[in-house]
Amino acid sequence: MSSILIVDDSRLNLAFMENTLKSAGYEDVWTANSAQEAYERLGIQDEQAPRKPVAVDLILLDIVMPEVDGIEACRRIKSIPAYQDLPIIFLTADRAHFKEAFNVGGMDFIEKGGPDYELLARVQSALRLKKEMDARKEWESRVSKDLQLARHLQNSVLTPPLTEQGISIRSSFMQSSDVSGDMFYWKQFNEHQYGILLIDVSLSGIPAALISMSIRSLLDGIVGIYRRPKEVCAELNRQMRTLFGKMRRAVYFTAIYVMVDTNKQQLEYFNAGHTQGLLLTEGAPAERLVVTTEPIGMKHDMNTDIKVIDYTGDARIVLYTNGLITRPGTNPKTVIQELEQYAQSLLYLDNDAFLSKLARLNRQHDDVCIISIDLTSPVAEEAESEAKTEVEAKTEVEAETVVEADAKPESEPQA
């Protein structure tokens, strides 16, 4: 049942409108003969907003009233967040205040002395609008809660950071909305072989997130069983065609998958229409992990070409989604070149600090995922270990010397 509050300093007008509304079937009708009494009805005291808004669906508000007029009363009521969407219809016999009244949030007018059917028609229209707005807000609230849950679920399946001998993998996952079509995954096969995958679904928002989550549920099996880039690429494409191949709209994702062998110091990868990854080494030009085939899911029989890169010494691999290099009005090739130079200049940083610097480049607040893979050569690790052992041994000898000195008896003074 709809609740209506009538505010008018004329008791005659209050009685007329209350009787008209109740005769038309509106039973929950309240009255107030001043703005202050209306505030009290609504739970508004001094400058304090009500802890819980009163369940009212419509206010019929006289403009010309003593002390506080209807325009100021409307402004005050609308300043309360809980009442911002509450429809207010002004009652007036003078059109001179129409513009000002509209500016403070009035939605309609009823001229005093008009026929009953006009009053009832405008009330019915306002209440219908209020009902639709309440339904919309309730739906938006449910959707917001569902999206928050979906975001939590999506983040919960992302692979945690990895640190093993010779390798460190870190990631930065930035979502422009509650859910994203970007997804990353990595898996350790043995003590020196690892598979790292990054995907970027062609759609956006909820559809993209559903597709990326569908693929994520298959990755443990696909990457764990097939391992090699050529076979992983073929199986991902087969699964995409099976799941989404019959849809009218083309559904696909770009991907880059790198298999790292820290013992051989070798990368084997495929790049399915994805942004070019970077292999960075100190004192040498960056090497790009270029596209080797078309996006996953576009063709039934796709090309599964791969590339192999050998590296020496310490190196760092950077994989990222397209959002990182999206700048309106700028050539992507130029942005990639700038990114390459910037990343090369940051090689002195540790993996976490390096990743943090790159994440700041996301000025468009787009979906962006960045993976940084630190590769430490066995020689460097061995040298570092030996240096650490030497320092520890030296410290131990110094400690023993101090202990011996403390234990040596003091010489007696000569007579």
Side-chain angles (χ1 to χ4, degrees):
M1 179 63 66
S2 299
S3 299
I4 302 172
L5 171 61
I6 309 170
V7 186
D8 198 315
D9 62 316
S10 168
R11 296 188 181 277
L12 183 63
N13 287 338
L14 286 176
F16 167 73
M17 285 185 286
E18 182 180 12
N19 182 62
T20 301
L21 292 171
K22 287 186 174 181
S23 298
Y26 297 102
E27 298 178 1
D28 194 6
V29 179
W30 316 340
T31 61
N33 59 17
S34 68
Q36 188 58 45
E37 187 177 348
Y39 296 157
E40 293 172 2
R41 288 278 193 177
L42 295 171
I44 303 173
Q45 298 180 355
D46 299 327
E47 299 299 323
Q48 300 295 321
R51 293 183 179 180
K52 184 178 180 181
V54 176
V56 60
D57 300 300
L58 172 64
I59 296 179
L60 303 178
L61 181 60
D62 186 17
I63 289 184
V64 182
M65 293 188 295
E67 296 183 5
V68 180
D69 63 21
I71 291 174
E72 179 56 34
C74 179
R75 182 183 290 110
R76 175 78 182 282
I77 293 168
K78 290 286 188 176
S79 70
I80 307 299
Y83 295 133
Q84 283 180 351
D85 293 330
L86 178 62
I88 295 178
I89 297 178
F90 281 108
L91 308 171
T92 183
D94 184 0
R95 289 177 174 266
H97 303 287
F98 275 20
K99 182 178 180 180
E100 189 178 2
F102 270 128
N103 288 339
V104 296
M107 70 163 293
D108 204 350
F109 291 88
I110 296 175
E111 291 194 58
K112 291 182 177 181
D116 294 357
Y117 67 80
E118 182 181 353
L119 168 65
L120 295 176
R122 293 184 185 276
V123 165
Q124 184 181 33
S125 176
L127 290 174
R128 187 185 300 115
L129 176 63
K130 177 65 163 54
K131 185 177 180 180
E132 291 173 355
M133 290 174 64
D134 288 346
R136 186 205 68 204
K137 286 194 289 186
E138 184 180 354
W139 178 81
E140 288 177 348
S141 177
R142 289 201 308 270
V143 169
S144 178
K145 291 178 180 177
D146 288 344
L147 286 173
Q148 289 175 11
L149 176 59
R151 183 189 185 102
H152 174 74
L153 291 173
Q154 190 171 37
N155 288 326
S156 70
V157 301
L158 296 174
T159 316
L162 181 146
T163 301
E164 293 291 340
Q165 185 175 3
I167 189 169
S168 166
I169 307 177
R170 297 292 186 269
S171 65
S172 178
F173 187 57
M174 295 164 279
Q175 296 161 287
S176 62
S177 57
D178 290 294
V179 289
S180 166
D182 294 352
M183 178 66 68
F184 61 81
Y185 174 88
W186 48 79
K187 189 175 185 65
Q188 181 178 1
F189 303 131
N190 50 54
E191 63 181 10
H192 56 83
Q193 287 185 321
Y194 305 83
I196 302 102
L197 174 69
L198 178 60
I199 73 172
D200 187 355
V201 178
S202 61
L203 305 176
S204 60
I206 295 175
L210 290 173
I211 293 170
S212 71
M213 289 295 284
S214 298
I215 297 304
R216 174 61 184 84
S217 66
L218 303 172
L219 292 181
D220 283 331
I222 295 175
V223 177
I225 293 172
Y226 294 96
R227 297 192 180 186
R228 315 299 305 193
K230 189 176 187 72
E231 287 73 23
V232 169
C233 180
E235 183 60 16
L236 282 172
N237 191 68
R238 189 185 72 81
Q239 292 288 353
M240 272 295 287
R241 298 295 299 179
T242 300
L243 291 171
F244 307 109
K246 295 182 180 180
M247 294 182 64
R248 291 184 178 180
R249 182 175 179 179
V251 177
Y252 61 90
F253 63 83
T254 66
I256 185 166
Y257 173 74
V258 182
M259 185 175 179
V260 178
D261 191 319
T262 58
N263 191 32
K264 293 182 180 179
Q265 292 197 292
Q266 186 179 82
L267 315 180
E268 184 179 331
Y269 76 93
F270 75 76
N271 183 333
H274 199 78
T275 48
Q276 299 177 11
L278 299 173
L279 174 63
L280 307 171
T281 52
E282 193 69 47
E287 188 156 1
R288 297 185 183 182
L289 279 59
V290 298
V291 172
T292 61
T293 185
E294 59 270 8
I296 305 290
M298 289 193 73
K299 296 181 179 179
H300 180 71
D301 295 316
M302 73 176 294
N303 169 32
T304 56
D305 285 349
I306 63 166
K307 282 188 176 293
V308 177
I309 300 176
D310 295 317
Y311 66 94
T312 55
D314 295 347
R316 182 171 286 164
I317 303 170
V318 182
L319 309 178
Y320 54 94
T321 52
N322 189 58
L324 187 64
I325 59 169
T326 300
R327 296 184 195 172
T330 306
N331 189 327
K333 291 182 179 179
T334 303
V335 181
I336 293 174
Q337 188 172 5
E338 291 174 357
L339 172 64
E340 180 182 311
Q341 294 171 352
Y342 182 61
Q344 190 83 38
S345 72
L346 300 176
L347 276 180
Y348 69 95
L349 296 174
D350 64 53
N351 213 7
D352 290 309
F354 174 82
L355 193 63
S356 177
K357 289 278 190 181
L358 289 189
R360 294 177 190 174
L361 298 177
N362 181 23
R363 301 187 185 95
Q364 303 300 320
H365 304 291
D366 197 357
D367 288 344
V368 173
C369 183
I370 311 171
I371 300 175
S372 179
I373 308 162
D374 239 1
L375 302 173
T376 307
S377 70
V379 174
E381 283 207 332
E382 186 178 343
E384 184 180 347
S385 178
E386 288 177 356
K388 184 177 180 182
T389 302
E390 185 178 341
V391 170
E392 290 175 349
K394 184 178 180 181
T395 304
E396 186 176 346
V397 170
E398 291 174 350
E400 289 176 354
T401 304
V402 172
V403 170
E404 289 175 359
D406 290 342
K408 186 177 180 179
E410 295 183 3
S411 59
E412 295 182 0
Q414 295 180 358

